[in-house]
Amino acid sequence: MDERFHTSSKAVVVRDDHILLIQYRDVPRGEAGHHYNLPGGRVRPNERLTEAVVRKLKEEAGADAVAGPLLCVYEYIGRNHASEAGDKHSISLIFRCELLPGSAEPSMSTCTMPDSIQTGVEWVPLSRLEEILHFPKINRRLLDLLRNPPPAADPYWGDIL
């Protein structure tokens, strides 16, 4: 498998006008000391996108959730950015997710497999989303998407024969 390319499933979980984000220590640039990203990550071979996002929410936030509709898709092509990523290329699919009733409260203490540079799990007010350092820089677009959601039809059709 080519390590330069991967597909990721990411979660958008909103509760009481707050969005669930994962905080990371900046390495090596250290612009602000830390940055944020949506919970989520690489999809494993033979794993459905929705299974991956639920797994990653458990690993990184310690929460049990159900994957909802696909909200958007974005690419990151490292060579197009001044980045240590070099020629890495990823495609990220962002799903709206809901915590299951009885789920543990998302926190570092409930994570089952936090990322090596992960430093926190935070409910960030939507009103602060444009201010924080988020990699990749999807803050404004994400906020617009949450304010103006797409039509109810889910564009993700799953694994089809």
Side-chain angles (χ1 to χ4, degrees):
M1 183 179 301
D2 188 344
E3 287 298 315
R4 294 173 300 164
F5 177 79
H6 71 270
T7 303
S8 291
S9 281
K10 305 268 186 184
V12 168
V13 182
V14 176
R15 181 175 75 187
D16 301 325
D17 291 322
H18 288 69
I19 187 166
L20 183 65
L21 296 177
I22 306 300
Q23 185 183 59
Y24 296 94
R25 170 175 31 90
D26 279 346
V27 178
R29 291 186 302 198
E31 294 175 21
H34 66 273
H35 69 275
Y36 294 89
N37 203 338
L38 296 169
R42 288 180 188 245
V43 177
R44 294 175 178 161
N46 300 312
E47 183 178 43
R48 292 181 182 184
L49 297 166
T50 51
E51 292 170 340
V53 76
V54 167
R55 173 180 56 80
K56 292 304 291 182
L57 263 168
K58 183 71 169 180
E59 291 175 358
E60 296 178 356
D64 295 310
V66 61
L70 177 67
L71 293 176
C72 65
V73 177
Y74 70 84
E75 285 183 275
Y76 179 83
I77 303 172
R79 71 171 186 213
N80 294 342
H81 307 280
S83 158
E84 305 82 45
D87 64 350
K88 291 196 177 196
H89 182 183
S90 66
I91 297 175
S92 294
L93 296 97
I94 301 178
F95 291 87
R96 184 69 184 248
C97 296
E98 299 291 332
L99 299 184
L100 291 173
S103 170
E105 181 62 20
S107 71
M108 284 298 290
S109 64
T110 56
C111 294
T112 61
M113 193 181 298
D115 190 281
S116 62
I117 61 167
Q118 182 177 335
T119 59
V121 178
E122 289 186 38
W123 287 104
V124 175
L126 289 173
S127 61
R128 284 194 50 232
L129 190 56
E130 288 187 83
E131 303 166 12
I132 65 169
L133 185 58
H134 187 286
F135 288 142
K137 296 177 181 175
I138 61 170
N139 314 41
R140 181 167 287 134
R141 287 183 178 190
L142 183 57
L143 194 54
D144 287 345
L145 184 63
L146 293 172
R147 288 179 179 153
N148 304 296
D154 185 353
Y156 176 65
W157 293 359
D159 180 24
I160 296 179
L161 178 63

